[in-house]
């Protein structure tokens, strides 16, 4: 039951937190932090929504599959380290930057977004990776310790 809830609830919540944090870091890196951009002229849709939606789609499109592979590996091998998840997210960000084959953009925003996304996933779901498999191992009957008999 615990594994089912983890797969259905925690992992998707962790993915959503990772993507949302990556979008926030990207928007902050490109200067979308001042208050005047939240209000569109003449009551129109806020200016921040278009870049945020584009970033959400693009980050999901390029980073979701490698991140899912990392989740499966972490669940199978019970990898729970915050440093591991942070570096894994940064590696995905660097991979996205290198795959763009463009030198006009700096590597810092995608790498920083990946680092923050990896840490956000660890906070929500990564710190419990592999607990379902470990729980099954704990419920298996334990062998009785043997001691030498009387001589």
């Amino acid at each position: 039951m615990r594994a089912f809830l983890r797969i259905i609830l925690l992992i998707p919540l962790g993915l959503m937190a990772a993507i949302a944090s990556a979008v926030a870091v990207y928007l902050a890196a490109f200067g979308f932090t001042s208050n005047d951009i939240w209000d569109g002229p003449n009551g129109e849709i806020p200016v921040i929504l278009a870049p945020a939606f584009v970033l959400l789609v693009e980050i999901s499109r390029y980073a979701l599959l490698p991140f899912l592979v990392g989740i499966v590996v972490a669940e199978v091998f019970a990898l729970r380290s915050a440093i591991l998840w942070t570096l894994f997210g940064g590696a995905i960000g660097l991979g996205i930057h290198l795959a763009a084959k463009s030198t006009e953009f700096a590597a810092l925003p995608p790498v920083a977004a990946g680092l923050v996304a990896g840490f956000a996933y660890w906070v929500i779901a990564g710190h419990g990776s592999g607990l379902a498999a470990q729980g099954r191992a704990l419920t298996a009957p334990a062998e009785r310790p043997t001691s030498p008999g009387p001589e």
Side-chain angles (χ1 to χ4, degrees):
M1 180 68 168
R2 209 169 145 188
F4 179 73
L5 287 176
R6 176 165 178 72
I7 291 170
I8 297 300
L9 186 64
L10 278 181
I11 291 175
L13 283 175
L15 281 172
M16 287 187 280
I19 291 171
S21 62
V23 168
V25 169
Y26 254 102
L27 290 175
F30 291 113
F32 288 104
T33 56
S34 60
N35 290 335
D36 56 347
I37 60 164
W38 293 97
D39 300 322
N42 302 325
E44 295 174 5
I45 297 175
V47 179
I48 192 100
L49 289 182
F53 182 72
V54 169
L55 282 171
L56 179 71
V57 170
E58 293 300 315
I59 288 172
S60 298
R61 188 170 99 179
Y62 291 114
L64 193 59
L65 186 60
F67 213 79
L68 286 174
V69 169
I71 289 170
V72 169
V73 168
E75 290 292 329
V76 169
F77 294 110
L79 304 173
R80 297 186 193 107
S81 172
I83 295 172
L84 173 87
W85 277 109
T86 305
L87 292 177
F88 181 66
I92 290 175
L94 182 62
I96 290 172
H97 172 72
L98 294 175
K101 297 179 184 173
S102 173
T103 58
E104 66 183 74
F105 296 112
L108 186 60
V111 172
L115 291 170
V116 171
F119 185 74
Y121 179 81
W122 176 81
V123 168
I124 302 290
H127 65 276
S129 294
L131 287 181
Q134 191 178 39
R136 284 193 302 267
L138 290 177
T139 58
E143 290 185 28
R144 299 179 98 192
T146 58
S147 62
E151 293 183 34

